[in-house]
Amino acid sequence: MALVAGVDTQSTEVDMVGAARPDEDAPRMAGAWRTAARPKNAHQSQLLRLLRDDGPRSRAELGDVLRMSRSELAADIDRLIALGLVEPAAARGGRRIVRLSPSLRFVGIDIGATSIDVAVTSGDLEILGHRALPYDVRHGPRAVLETALEMLGKLRSEGVASEIHGAGIGVPGPVSFCDGKAVAPPIMPGWCGFPIRETMSQELGCPVLVDNDVNVMALGELTAGLARSNDFLFVKIGTGIGCGIVVGGSVYRGRSGCAGDIGHIRVDDSGPLCACGHTGCLEAYFGGAALARDATAAARADRSRFLAERLAANGELTAADVTDAVAAGDATAVRMVREGGRHVGRVLADLVIFFNPGLVVIAGGVAGLGHTLLAEIRGVVHRRSPAPATANLPIVLSELGDAAGVIGGARLISDHVFSSGSRGWT
């Protein structure tokens, strides 16, 4: 599937998404155009999010939570029913129940450095279909996005989504959130300035939002994971290292979208060269590429029989090989992981002192090293941080796995679609 060029869909102000199409003749996914109504006011927006997060509720319960009169609530519910966003459900104990429309569909697309995950969810963010594929982000934006669209097309052919109401996309680099474009991403050649949001919005015919993949995963954790605190840090350790900062239940992105790019905090001025062009970055010590580099050096120096045999068999080593070596009890691999965990722990200790989060969640491919890594990070953070900052501070491994990014993408776009401030193509 060939992508069409990005267009400036932001300038089209309409009340009904899809009532004005950016280019009627442009190629697009068959049947993907969707006229999706938006809530008109803050109460309708709150109502939709309540039904998404808490499930079906009675009108009386909704009125109590939203502090609305019966007549006001009835008018808002009736309008949302007319627009197809909510519907009456079976009565419960004599109470009139309201739920989100079962036809609502959101798409989450998680583009990693070496993989693509695509999922379709219901309006309440339950995954209805999920596909994953190894794919190198260095193939460039058109090839990667075309592949994601093909994966989505296969899901739709299975009947999980006849219509799409919005898509949220995570990419492994800094993003200008308001523009929907990657900004100088170190490991994404060819992506800088590419109009991801506009291109995908035109292809899908629905609202699209784009964010850094770690921010999107943090939203997934907030939605379906262990995060019970509205103030937490979500640390992804994969090919790169990043941190999603959640404050008051919302992602903090910073002025230019670079908040949380902790992989490029300098650990040692004389350290190894990083992909960003600087030396001594955290990522250059313990990102996936760094771990593969150190494992290869250890294998060639005969410091690890396990890694040497794996290198001889496969011709190269990856972070996954180190995970296998740790599981096999390889002493060299365990030392590498502990050293990397100490580097991560030192950076996190400073963040904990500065931010005072209620939770730290560790995720990503390298986080598959499990409790060997987690124990080292915990130990360093607690040794280097004052007691008030670490008192009752859980540092845990995410339990969502590959689902974090796609759930987060669906959450990102559903927040937008359910917002009364949203207008037009995004």
Side-chain angles (χ1 to χ4, degrees):
M1 178 183 294
L3 289 177
V4 297
V7 294
D8 182 10
T9 57
Q10 185 69 21
S11 61
T12 305
E13 295 255 342
V14 290
D15 181 49
M16 304 286 285
V17 175
R21 299 174 182 172
D23 184 350
E24 293 286 353
D25 298 321
R28 58 186 182 269
M29 295 181 67
W33 291 109
R34 168 65 182 171
T35 301
R38 296 295 181 82
K40 281 285 192 181
N41 57 48
H43 280 146
Q44 291 176 13
S45 177
Q46 286 179 283
L47 192 153
L48 289 169
R49 295 187 189 201
L50 240 145
L51 294 176
R52 179 196 66 189
D53 298 340
D54 297 343
R57 304 286 288 267
S58 72
R59 291 188 179 224
E61 290 170 330
L62 291 170
D64 288 343
V65 173
L66 300 175
R67 298 186 177 182
M68 297 176 65
S69 68
R70 286 187 179 181
S71 60
E72 290 174 328
L73 180 65
D76 280 342
I77 290 176
D78 288 346
R79 181 177 187 276
L80 293 176
I81 289 174
L83 295 175
L85 294 175
V86 304
E87 68 174 29
R92 184 176 63 202
R95 294 189 171 190
R96 301 166 67 190
I97 305 301
V98 180
R99 67 178 183 181
L100 286 178
S101 169
S103 66
L104 282 171
R105 294 291 183 269
F106 297 117
V107 173
I109 300 176
D110 181 17
I111 298 171
T114 58
S115 64
I116 303 172
D117 281 80
V118 178
V120 174
T121 77
S122 59
D124 56 7
L125 308 185
E126 177 186 355
I127 293 179
L128 304 176
H130 184 183
R131 282 182 175 262
L133 183 72
Y135 205 86
D136 196 324
V137 74
R138 292 175 296 181
H139 288 314
R142 292 190 177 278
V144 171
L145 296 178
E146 284 172 6
T147 301
L149 288 171
E150 289 170 3
M151 294 167 69
L152 176 56
K154 290 176 181 178
L155 285 173
R156 297 187 70 220
S157 70
E158 296 168 2
V160 297
S162 59
E163 299 169 321
I164 297 171
H165 298 80
I169 303 173
V171 298
V175 170
S176 172
F177 188 68
C178 62
D179 297 327
K181 300 175 182 179
V183 180
I187 62 172
M188 300 171 64
W191 286 79
C192 186
F194 185 86
I196 306 169
R197 185 189 67 195
E198 283 80 0
T199 299
M200 293 297 278
S201 180
Q202 187 170 1
E203 288 292 331
L204 295 174
C206 65
V208 172
L209 288 181
V210 182
D211 203 352
N212 171 265
D213 63 341
V214 186
N215 289 342
V216 171
M217 292 174 73
L219 280 177
E221 194 69 35
L222 181 65
T223 302
L226 298 171
R228 297 294 178 264
S229 167
N230 281 331
D231 302 293
F232 70 95
L233 299 175
F234 182 93
V235 180
K236 178 188 176 185
I237 309 174
T239 303
I241 301 177
C243 180
I245 305 168
V246 178
V247 184
S250 298
V251 171
Y252 177 76
R253 298 180 176 89
R255 183 182 63 83
S256 58
C258 296
D261 201 4
I262 65 170
H264 301 291
I265 292 177
R266 186 166 290 182
V267 174
D268 185 346
D269 288 348
S270 59
L273 182 67
C274 181
C276 71
H278 295 146
T279 57
C281 296
L282 175 62
E283 195 170 295
Y285 277 100
F286 198 56
L291 201 54
R293 176 200 65 211
D294 293 346
T296 301
R300 288 175 175 165
D302 291 326
R303 296 198 305 271
S304 166
R305 181 177 178 181
F306 184 100
L307 293 174
E309 290 176 352
R310 189 66 64 90
L311 178 62
N314 299 334
E316 65 177 5
L317 293 175
T318 67
D321 294 310
V322 178
T323 300
D324 292 342
V326 170
D330 183 87
T332 297
V334 170
R335 280 195 299 272
M336 289 168 55
V337 171
R338 287 177 173 165
E339 183 180 355
R342 284 193 289 273
H343 288 306
V344 174
R346 291 184 192 112
V347 170
L348 277 181
D350 291 341
L351 296 179
V352 165
I353 294 169
F354 176 77
F355 179 56
N356 189 207
L359 172 71
V360 177
V361 181
I362 311 293
V366 175
L369 291 162
H371 290 281
T372 301
L373 172 62
L374 188 64
E376 199 66 41
I377 292 174
R378 281 175 173 163
V380 173
V381 169
H382 283 275
R383 285 196 302 271
R384 294 175 66 96
S385 304
T390 56
N392 301 314
L393 172 65
I395 302 175
V396 300
L397 295 173
S398 174
E399 297 178 354
L400 292 181
D402 294 339
V406 293
I407 293 173
R411 167 66 182 263
L412 177 70
I413 195 61
S414 72
D415 279 349
H416 173 75
V417 169
F418 290 165
S419 170
S420 59
S422 304
R423 287 294 182 268
W425 289 85
T426 305

